[in-house]
């Protein structure tokens, strides 16, 4: 956190003949949490209030946008006379995919980047290469990381599952 240490890191990645002006620095603490429900009566959670994860991959922001799209669709339906249970469906759909996709993917991303052992890094790289060379595996990887598979999974969860 010292000026010297921060300057050294900056110069390592972005060499400059002059020192950088360091205005602020902070230690970022990574959290991985998902609320137990995204609906409690008339209170609805979305985005960071519902789920928070490390920022590697931008999945928290994108997940929050997907929350908003899903919730706005259901709120409009409820306002137009559809049953309030749609709001519980929102909670079940978005919480499920937050755990199955966002949390799982961001944890995997973080572990991949944190690997320090050369053999572990080699295994990770080989795994990514294998996925890239196999069209089916590559598509699966892209569906997960683009969060399209997450949208499909959310859409597969129905009102029948809310009652269960």
């Amino acid at each position: 956190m010292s000026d010297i240490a921060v300057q050294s890191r900056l110069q390592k990645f972005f060499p400059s003949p002059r020192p950088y002006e360091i205005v602020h620095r902070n230690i970022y603490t990574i959290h991985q949490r998902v609320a137990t429900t995204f609906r409690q009566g008339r209170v609805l959670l979305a985005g960071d209030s519902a789920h928070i994860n490390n920022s590697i991959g931008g999945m928290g922001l994108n997940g929050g946008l997907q929350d908003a799209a899903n919730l706005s669709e259901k709120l409009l339906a409820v306002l137009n006379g559809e049953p309030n249970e749609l709001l519980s469906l929102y909670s079940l759909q978005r919480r499920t995919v937050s755990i199955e996709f966002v949390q799982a993917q961001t944890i995997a991303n973080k572990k991949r980047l944190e690997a320090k052992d050369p053999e572990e890094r080699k295994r990770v790289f080989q795994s990514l290469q294998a996925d890239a060379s196999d069209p089916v595996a590559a598509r699966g990887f892209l569906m997960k990381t683009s969060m399209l598979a997450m949208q499909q999974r959310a859409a597969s969860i129905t009102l029948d599952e809310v009652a269960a």
Side-chain angles (χ1 to χ4, degrees):
M1 293 293 289
S2 72
D3 284 347
I4 293 170
V6 173
Q7 192 67 235
S8 174
R9 282 188 209 105
L10 287 170
Q11 291 292 343
K12 178 180 176 184
F13 291 103
F14 308 104
S16 172
R18 296 185 332 192
Y20 286 96
E21 179 184 1
I22 300 167
V23 178
H24 179 75
R25 82 225 60 202
N26 199 359
I27 294 177
Y28 178 76
T29 303
I30 295 174
H31 297 276
Q32 294 281 143
R33 296 186 182 134
V34 177
T36 55
T37 184
F38 290 13
R39 178 185 186 207
Q40 186 66 45
R42 293 174 44 155
V43 176
L44 299 158
L45 301 178
D48 285 355
S49 67
H51 48 81
I52 193 160
N53 53 270
N54 74 63
S55 58
I56 300 169
M59 299 185 98
L61 171 64
N62 289 312
L65 292 171
Q66 289 183 15
D67 289 349
N70 185 304
L71 182 55
S72 63
E73 177 183 283
K74 291 181 176 54
L75 281 171
L76 182 61
V78 169
L79 289 171
N80 286 321
E82 295 293 322
N84 282 345
E85 287 76 30
L86 283 175
L87 302 177
S88 295
L89 177 59
Y90 156 77
S91 178
L92 180 62
Q93 287 175 332
R94 297 306 305 161
R95 184 174 191 280
T96 299
V97 297
S98 291
I99 293 167
E100 290 179 2
F101 287 86
V102 176
Q103 294 289 301
Q105 188 65 48
T106 57
I107 290 168
N109 289 347
K110 184 174 181 289
K111 284 182 179 178
R112 248 195 315 273
L113 290 173
E114 286 179 337
K116 296 201 183 323
D117 176 56
E119 287 303 312
E120 176 61 21
R121 291 179 69 81
K122 183 178 178 181
R123 280 191 295 277
V124 167
F125 185 69
Q126 287 172 337
S127 173
L128 290 171
Q129 281 182 314
D131 283 350
S133 66
D134 174 0
V136 173
R139 186 176 193 284
F141 180 83
L142 292 173
M143 289 293 290
K144 278 194 313 187
T145 57
S146 68
M147 301 174 80
L148 292 172
M150 185 168 129
Q151 290 286 78
Q152 292 172 338
R153 172 68 174 117
S156 77
I157 300 170
T158 66
L159 267 175
D160 295 334
E161 294 174 61
V162 171

